[in-house]
């Protein structure tokens, strides 16, 4: 950024607030919330937060318009603009800190991420104004202003409590598993063995079937089947679990809130599990990796379904989300996972 691009001293207050906004953003990203000793009014929090977000959006618009065409604001006007937008940023960050962890970690994370996105957008807008020619409104400044509006608008879509926040996590994981299933299915439909009509016995000592690193063998395709079954079982588990959270999720007690947060944390392990398992399936297939990642992936699926496991004794069937009425589908999932694991293991070890 060059001071030559901003006439006179009007750039000084902008540079100062840029540094301040970046500091506020970093504190929000890494800081802790203020714990409330008394009762916390979540409805009042949302009303105040939405007002604060609206104020930031308005102040960002004023700042962008002031620097969209000549003449530039005077130094005094520039200082007023800088003070106003800094006041709105500090108000937003202060209101965010009101939200205590006791309202749910998942909710707080999503509010934090949305707040950081707004602060990053405002910082980027100020930086663009400082670095862009001021003879006309640049496309970059228009884009940056729109990014602030978009980040502020996202607050209207945020979940209003921890139950809603966990449902957002579950929905995202369902999307991840669905995409992985569809990608494997598409790859299978498009992949073709160029030597499929040639028998290995006819190759007489030559390397049979050409470069098998580029396509799936018949054995590979058989192994992919139970892996797909495992992915589909986890997708079914997540859908059932999402329905259970919608029906039974409770945000009125500390224990229920903690169980919802534990569920969200475990569920988020499915994404890397899906990726690791899928990567091992592509040619040349890594049989050892398939076995390892199947076991790891299935472990997370079972944990998410709240099965009895020694490692997660606090998350077993006593959970308020998945009670006795959900045991049927939990047991069905357990059987599906075990079946696919054993089937893949038998196929991998066959002729080895």
């Amino acid at each position: 950024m060059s001071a030559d691009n901003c006439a006179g001293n009007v750039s000084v207050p902008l540079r100062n607030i840029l540094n301040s906004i970046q500091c506020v953003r970093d504190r929000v990203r890494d800081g802790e919330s203020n714990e409330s000793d008394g009762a916390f009014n979540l409805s009042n929090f949302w009303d105040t937060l939405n007002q604060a977000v609206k104020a930031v959006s308005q102040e960002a618009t004023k700042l962008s318009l002031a620097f969209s065409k000549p003449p530039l604001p005077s130094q005094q006007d520039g200082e007023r603009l800088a003070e106003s937008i800094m006041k709105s940023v500090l108000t937003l960050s202060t209101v965010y800190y009101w939200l205590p962890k006791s309202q749910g970690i998942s909710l707080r994370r999503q509010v934090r991420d949305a707040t950081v996105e707004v602060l990053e957008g405002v910082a980027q807008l100020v930086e663009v104004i400082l670095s862009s020619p001021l003879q006309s409104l640049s496309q970059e400044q228009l884009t940056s202003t729109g990014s602030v509006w978009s980040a502020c608008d996202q607050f209207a879509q945020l979940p209003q409590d921890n139950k809603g926040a966990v449902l957002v996590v579950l929905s995202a994981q369902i999307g991840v598993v669905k995409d992985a299933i569809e990608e494997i299915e598409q790859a299978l439909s498009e992949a073709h063995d160029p030597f499929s009509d040639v028998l290995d016995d006819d190759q007489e000592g030559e390397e049979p079937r050409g470069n098998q690193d580029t396509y799936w063998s018949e054995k590979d395709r058989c192994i992919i089947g139970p892996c797909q079954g495992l992915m589909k079982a986890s997708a079914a588990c997540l859908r059932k679990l999402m329905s259970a959270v919608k029906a039974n999720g409770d945000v009125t007690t500390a224990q229920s809130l903690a169980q919802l947060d534990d569920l969200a944390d475990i569920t988020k392990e499915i994404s890397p599990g899906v990726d690791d398992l899928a990567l091992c399936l592509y040619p040349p297939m890594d049989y050892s990796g398939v076995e390892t990642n199947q076991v790891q992936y299935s472990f997370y699926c079972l944990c998410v379904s709240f099965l009895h496991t020694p490692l997660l004794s606090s998350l077993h069937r006593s959970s308020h989300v998945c009670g006795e009425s959900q045991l049927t589908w939990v047991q069905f999932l357990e059987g599906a996972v075990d079946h696919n694991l054993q089937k893949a293991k038998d196929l991998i070890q066959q002729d080895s």
Side-chain angles (χ1 to χ4, degrees):
M1 295 181 293
S2 171
D4 294 338
N5 291 327
C6 288
N9 295 325
V10 73
S11 65
V12 174
L14 292 184
R15 291 182 184 280
N16 291 337
I17 66 164
L18 175 59
N19 292 331
S20 297
I21 292 169
Q22 290 171 336
C23 289
V24 172
R25 175 203 61 198
D26 293 342
R27 285 199 300 270
V28 168
R29 180 188 288 131
D30 303 324
E32 297 293 335
S33 62
N34 298 323
E35 285 300 330
S36 176
D37 294 331
F40 181 80
N41 190 319
L42 190 58
S43 176
N44 181 63
F45 165 78
W46 280 113
D47 288 342
T48 310
L49 183 66
N50 287 329
Q51 291 172 12
V53 171
K54 183 178 180 181
V56 171
S57 180
Q58 291 173 341
E59 292 301 328
T61 302
K62 289 179 186 178
L63 182 69
S64 185
L65 287 174
F67 287 90
S68 63
K69 60 182 179 180
L72 291 174
S74 65
Q75 181 178 354
Q76 187 177 22
D77 288 341
E79 289 174 352
R80 288 200 192 99
L81 285 167
E83 288 174 3
S84 293
I85 198 164
M86 194 64 217
K87 181 180 178 181
S88 71
V89 163
L90 288 172
T91 299
L92 174 59
S93 64
T94 299
V95 176
Y96 156 73
Y97 279 120
W98 288 358
L99 183 63
K101 289 182 179 180
S102 58
Q103 291 296 313
I105 301 297
S106 301
L107 176 64
R108 186 174 177 275
R109 284 173 180 164
Q110 291 177 36
V111 176
R112 177 200 63 196
D113 292 346
T115 302
V116 168
E117 188 172 349
V118 169
L119 297 178
E120 285 181 340
V122 175
Q124 183 185 46
L125 174 60
V126 175
E127 193 166 1
V128 166
I129 290 172
L130 280 165
S131 61
S132 300
L134 294 170
Q135 286 77 16
S136 62
L137 182 62
S138 69
Q139 182 59 48
E140 190 176 7
Q141 186 173 331
L142 278 171
T143 301
S144 295
T145 306
S147 295
V148 175
W149 294 342
S150 178
C152 291
D153 288 345
Q154 286 183 17
F155 276 76
Q157 309 301 321
L158 287 176
Q160 299 297 293
D161 57 25
N162 208 46
K163 174 180 174 179
V166 172
L167 288 172
V168 169
V169 174
L170 286 168
S171 179
Q173 292 302 316
I174 290 172
V176 169
V177 177
K178 181 182 177 182
D179 289 345
I181 293 171
E182 291 177 351
E183 287 174 10
I184 292 295
E185 289 176 347
Q186 183 177 355
L188 284 169
S189 66
E190 295 175 351
H192 174 64
D193 176 358
F195 300 93
S196 59
D197 58 343
V198 178
L199 296 176
D200 289 347
D201 292 342
D202 294 340
Q203 297 303 301
E204 296 291 334
E206 298 178 7
E207 180 184 349
R209 314 288 292 267
N211 182 8
Q212 294 188 9
D213 287 354
T214 61
Y215 62 87
W216 280 301
S217 67
E218 202 57 42
K219 179 179 178 180
D220 292 343
R221 287 177 175 270
C222 289
I223 292 171
I224 289 175
C227 293
Q228 289 177 295
L230 184 59
M231 291 181 179
K232 290 176 180 178
S234 67
C237 161
L238 289 168
R239 288 193 296 269
K240 286 287 189 179
L241 195 55
M242 192 166 183
S243 296
V245 172
K246 285 181 179 178
N248 306 322
D250 176 57
V251 293
T252 61
T253 69
Q255 181 181 8
S256 295
L257 286 164
Q259 287 180 346
L260 287 171
D261 284 328
D262 288 338
L263 172 60
D265 287 341
I266 297 169
T267 302
K268 283 188 285 191
E269 297 294 341
I270 286 186
S271 291
V274 168
D275 292 340
D276 291 342
L277 179 57
L279 284 173
C280 294
L281 297 179
Y282 284 93
M285 184 177 286
D286 178 4
Y287 292 163
S288 175
V290 169
E291 282 192 291
T292 300
N293 287 300
Q294 266 200 328
V295 172
Q296 182 77 355
Y297 180 58
S298 63
F299 170 76
Y300 288 125
C301 293
L302 296 176
C303 290
V304 166
S305 68
F306 282 78
L307 291 173
H308 249 309
T309 86
L311 296 178
L312 292 169
S313 58
S314 64
L315 299 181
H316 56 56
R317 293 174 177 135
S318 64
S319 164
H320 80 281
V321 174
C322 292
E324 293 297 320
S325 61
Q326 278 78 38
L327 285 184
T328 300
W329 69 262
V330 168
Q331 291 166 350
F332 175 80
L333 172 72
E334 185 178 26
V337 169
D338 288 343
H339 169 75
N340 284 296
L341 277 173
Q342 189 60 49
K343 187 176 180 181
K345 182 178 179 180
D346 292 343
L347 286 167
I348 290 172
Q349 294 177 352
Q350 195 174 53
D351 303 326
S352 61

